[in-house]
Amino acid sequence: MDYYDTRETRPQAEREAELFARLPAQIAHAKANAPAFAVTLADVDPASVTSREALAHLPVIRKSELLERQKAARPFGGFAAARWGRSCHRVFASPGPLYEPEGARADYYRLARALYAAGFREGDLVHNTFSYHFTPAGSMMETAAHAVGCTVFPAGIGQTEQQVAAMADLKPNAYTGTPSFLRIILDKAAELGVAPSLTKAFVSGEAFPPSQRDALAARGIQAFQAYATADIGLIAYETPAREGLVLDEDIILEIVRPGTGDPVAEGEVGEVVVTTFNPDYPLIRFGTGDLSAILPGTSPCGRSNLRIRGWLGRADQTTKIKGMFVHPAQVADVLRRHPEIVRGRLVVENPDLNDRMTLHCETTDSNPALAEAIGSSIREVTKLRGEVSFCPPGSLANDGKVIDDLRKYD
């Protein structure tokens, strides 16, 4: 196999040791240079955070908190160490708005590794259709392609006929963008009688099921996907093995129970939490709000890093019941008060259009006194009445849902 570098195939124990050897310095850097972390990590001794167990004791910073802090302290809410000038080449705005710095380092978002796994090589001409304004997607792909040695045509979005005309003239062999826009371009090319020159594609920003992948392959295009965010950069990427997404070499990923910072067992669905080693934007335990799960074993492609199943939904399942917001963190608080509960899920229904919530609890103890105690905790935490239903351990679906809203209004 052809790998981007030797780090991809090193033993996992070696990788883990290297990441946690680097972590104390990154935490110290964040505390010294990002004012928000100076506050949230004030009582943390960076030298003591050298394991997953120690990391799990630090607070999770979620996007909702990042947004609120940015509103109070523009532009970055005190989480960035970058300053205007040579250390910050660009600043972008994602919906919210959330502002993100782009530092001066080559391959700032670390996506070159993912492009390489997708077959991109030096000398390729990449037709990049991600947006070049406001959001960083266009820059994320362009800087990665340059790191691999590709030439980039900055196509951006829209203007389908002009996109096809440029392809006809320049004959790019590689595409970056959303899978849906690629299909639109290919259909327009067919309509105009233009034979596409594309043989490879790297897609993101949308779901990319196997059916879409196979449809592109039937048109002569091998397409791969990745999971990346504007805040973090690359998190995980697809390889020729097509079995899950392999983690990037420069992040620490945890899967935690939604609404908490508590890591779940391997294979269990939970929220993706990422710690980066980016000196400009040193996010420590950043909650992405996305659900995923660790896949057991290693990839058949030979890359030895951990794998995740990909995007499995959103972790923020906050819902309004009888006019009151109920959060996953509140459900976690109730469960934490009763160690007899192995796992729980709050199910919301509306028979006769009246809201009703029931906390389904996996437990071997179905004592009526326990049900009464749990019901009291529900009222105390949520200010609402809720029923309690016991079920055997392992019976709740492994899908990351803490609140399951089943209400119907038709």
Side-chain angles (χ1 to χ4, degrees), residues 107-194:
D107 191 26
Y108 178 79
Y109 302 97
R110 309 178 320 283
L111 275 154
R113 184 180 306 282
L115 288 187
Y116 196 88
F120 285 53
R121 294 294 184 270
E122 183 175 353
D124 287 344
L125 174 59
V126 179
H127 191 94
N128 183 18
T129 66
F130 276 116
S131 173
Y132 274 82
H133 67 284
F134 272 82
T135 61
S139 183
M140 292 171 78
M141 296 300 165
E142 180 171 287
T143 52
H146 287 164
V148 172
C150 304
T151 299
V152 176
F153 177 72
I157 58 176
Q159 300 174 303
T160 312
E161 288 196 14
Q162 289 178 266
Q163 301 264 4
V164 173
M167 284 186 170
D169 292 337
L170 298 173
K171 294 183 170 42
N173 64 331
Y175 166 94
T176 52
T178 64
S180 60
F181 194 48
L182 176 55
R183 292 196 306 274
I184 290 171
I185 289 176
L186 293 174
D187 289 345
K188 177 59 70 173
E191 178 187 320
L192 298 174
V194 175

Side-chain angles (χ1 to χ4, degrees), residues 315-350:
D316 186 2
Q317 300 151 26
T318 298
T319 189
K320 184 177 281 189
I321 305 170
K322 295 183 178 179
M324 299 282 288
F325 281 108
V326 178
H327 305 271
Q330 292 175 300
V331 177
D333 188 9
V334 172
L335 300 178
R336 199 176 290 116
R337 296 180 182 205
H338 303 280
E340 302 92 338
I341 305 174
V342 177
R343 189 165 57 164
R345 170 179 304 197
L346 188 70
V347 176
V348 187
E349 300 169 292
N350 62 339

Side-chain angles (χ1 to χ4, degrees), residues 35-115:
F37 282 115
V39 174
T40 60
L41 302 179
D43 298 327
V44 175
D45 175 12
S48 69
V49 188
T50 58
S51 67
R52 288 188 177 272
E53 293 73 22
L55 180 61
H57 285 93
L58 304 188
V60 173
I61 305 298
R62 291 190 163 84
K63 280 205 174 186
S64 56
E65 180 181 349
L66 187 61
L67 179 60
E68 291 306 311
R69 285 181 177 264
Q70 282 202 4
K71 287 179 179 178
R74 292 296 189 193
F76 305 121
F79 286 101
R83 303 292 183 265
W84 301 144
R86 292 184 183 276
S87 67
C88 186
H89 272 189
R90 301 181 184 91
V91 59
F92 291 101
S94 295
L98 273 171
Y99 295 102
E100 301 103 7
E102 181 185 302
R105 294 184 314 284
D107 191 26
Y108 178 79
Y109 302 97
R110 309 178 320 283
L111 275 154
R113 184 180 306 282
L115 288 187

Side-chain angles (χ1 to χ4, degrees), residues 200-256:
K200 62 188 77 172
F202 184 81
V203 299
S204 194
E206 296 174 350
F208 187 54
S211 59
Q212 290 189 23
R213 181 191 70 202
D214 294 343
L216 289 173
R219 301 172 89 157
I221 301 171
Q222 293 298 316
F224 293 81
Q225 62 180 319
Y227 171 30
T229 72
D231 324 271
I232 299 295
L234 179 64
I235 296 174
Y237 59 101
E238 191 174 23
T239 75
R242 306 283 192 183
E243 292 188 11
L245 303 179
V246 176
L247 297 189
D248 178 51
E249 294 292 324
D250 289 296
I251 63 166
I252 297 174
L253 180 139
E254 304 168 272
I255 304 291
V256 307

